[in-house]
Amino acid sequence: MKIRSVVSIPKEEDYPEANEDNFRSREDGIACALSDGASESFDSKAWSIILCENFNSIVKRKKRGKFFHDGTITQFLNQAKNSFNNKYQKKTLSWSQEASFRRGSFATILGVIDHGPALELFSVGDTVAIWQKNGQLKMLSMHVDYDFNKKPILLSTLCNTNNMQLLNLDRDWSIAKIKKKEIQNNEIFLLTDALAKRVIDIAKYDALGKAINIMKQNHGRLKKWIIDERSAGLLKKDDYTIVWIESND
């Protein structure tokens, strides 16, 4: 697969460093991941970066074709949590930071693996993958009729939280295999929640073509569209990220 574009626009234009959406891809093109850190948790930006990096690192080229299973997911989560904890063991935290750290850090994850003739998607939370099949909008089953106003299930640095998540397949997390030949125009898009909700609404109630065109906008045009949509009360204030992937490069 090939990453066509990554556009990420922070909720606060004057503080781009505070953007808690993060995307990472492997140079060999066999894996990528998008994560949205939860603002109310401790250093969720660092946690989202670590989740993306660890997802990509656990994918092995020699194991392409072997899909995710419970053991792989557990290994990925444990590896990410260890990386995060090691990061802060070396730092001196204030008492308030220490208390926040102990309450945990939270983020979504949406990972993509290229298996040659198929793509595999792994998702926890409300970061969404969108593609077309036979002229219709498609997404993971957990995101069909998803309520974006509710608090999503997130991956956490707290072990017991993640153990609970793995029990609720297709409700709180999902894995899907998609044959590339079924992906219309070889295009798949990854979106964080605010943009996903608006694009899905446009596709359902306005026009699918219009929704697809929005997801292909460059930084300047997408930023202008976001400002207009927010002014009209159609888009909530948030970090916004869209990744455009060519599934069969």
Side-chain angles (χ1 to χ4, degrees):
M1 62 183 169
K2 178 180 179 181
I3 309 302
R4 293 288 302 271
S5 69
V6 180
V7 180
S8 191
I9 298 172
K11 64 172 76 71
E12 299 290 351
E13 185 177 358
D14 294 335
Y15 301 97
E17 69 280 0
N19 188 343
E20 290 160 329
D21 290 353
N22 287 284
F23 175 76
R24 296 289 188 275
S25 61
R26 284 175 49 141
E27 291 184 0
D28 60 10
I30 68 169
C32 66
L34 175 63
S35 177
D36 178 2
S39 299
E40 65 271 17
S41 64
F42 178 80
D43 202 354
S44 61
K45 180 174 183 176
W47 177 230
S48 67
I49 291 172
I50 286 172
L51 283 172
C52 290
E53 291 176 344
N54 279 270
F55 178 87
N56 289 336
S57 69
I58 207 168
V59 176
K60 306 298 182 184
R61 176 172 286 278
K62 65 181 180 180
K63 293 186 177 181
R64 292 174 77 192
K66 295 184 179 180
F67 289 79
F68 259 39
H69 51 77
D70 287 355
T72 309
I73 296 169
T74 300
Q75 181 185 354
F76 155 61
L77 293 175
N78 287 337
Q79 182 175 296
K81 286 183 288 185
N82 289 338
S83 297
F84 187 82
N85 290 332
N86 289 338
K87 174 182 175 67
Y88 284 98
Q89 283 178 351
K90 302 174 183 178
K91 293 187 175 184
T92 301
L93 302 178
S94 67
W95 68 267
S96 59
Q97 289 174 323
E98 178 70 24
S100 183
F101 174 79
R102 291 183 181 278
R103 288 193 293 270
S105 302
F106 300 83
T108 68
I109 186 73
L110 176 55
V112 185
I113 305 171
D114 189 338
H115 288 285
L119 296 181
E120 180 179 13
L121 305 181
F122 169 69
S123 178
V124 179
D126 54 8
T127 298
V128 178
I130 292 175
W131 65 96
Q132 291 184 83
K133 179 181 177 181
N134 299 327
Q136 295 184 327
L137 188 73
K138 297 293 181 180
M139 63 194 77
L140 292 172
S141 58
M142 65 182 286
H143 294 131
V144 176
D145 298 323
Y146 189 86
D147 181 3
F148 286 94
N149 294 316
K150 72 176 184 179
K151 188 173 182 178
I153 295 295
L154 303 171
L155 287 181
S156 170
T157 51
L158 305 177
C159 295
N160 58 339
T161 303
N162 292 329
N163 291 338
M164 291 173 59
Q165 287 167 348
L166 297 183
L167 300 177
N168 302 315
L169 178 62
D170 282 341
R171 191 181 75 186
D172 300 326
W173 66 286
S174 188
I175 294 177
K177 176 183 178 181
I178 310 167
K179 294 180 180 178
K180 288 183 179 179
K181 64 182 180 181
E182 296 178 351
I183 300 174
Q184 190 170 323
N185 300 324
N186 299 319
E187 295 172 340
I188 187 166
F189 304 90
L190 315 182
L191 300 87
T192 49
D193 60 315
L195 276 177
K197 179 183 185 302
R198 183 64 184 129
V199 166
I200 290 169
D201 284 346
I202 290 171
K204 284 182 178 180
Y205 305 116
D206 195 346
L208 177 57
K210 180 179 178 180
I212 296 298
N213 287 335
I214 290 169
M215 294 187 287
K216 294 182 179 181
Q217 297 297 313
N218 61 28
H219 185 278
R221 290 182 177 178
L222 183 62
K223 182 179 178 180
K224 182 182 183 305
W225 178 81
I226 286 171
I227 291 172
D228 292 343
E229 293 289 294
R230 278 174 52 173
S231 297
L234 298 172
L235 191 64
K236 73 174 185 178
K237 186 176 182 180
D238 202 349
D239 298 323
Y240 313 96
T241 301
I242 296 178
V243 181
W244 176 12
I245 296 173
E246 185 177 336
S247 61
N248 193 4
D249 59 345

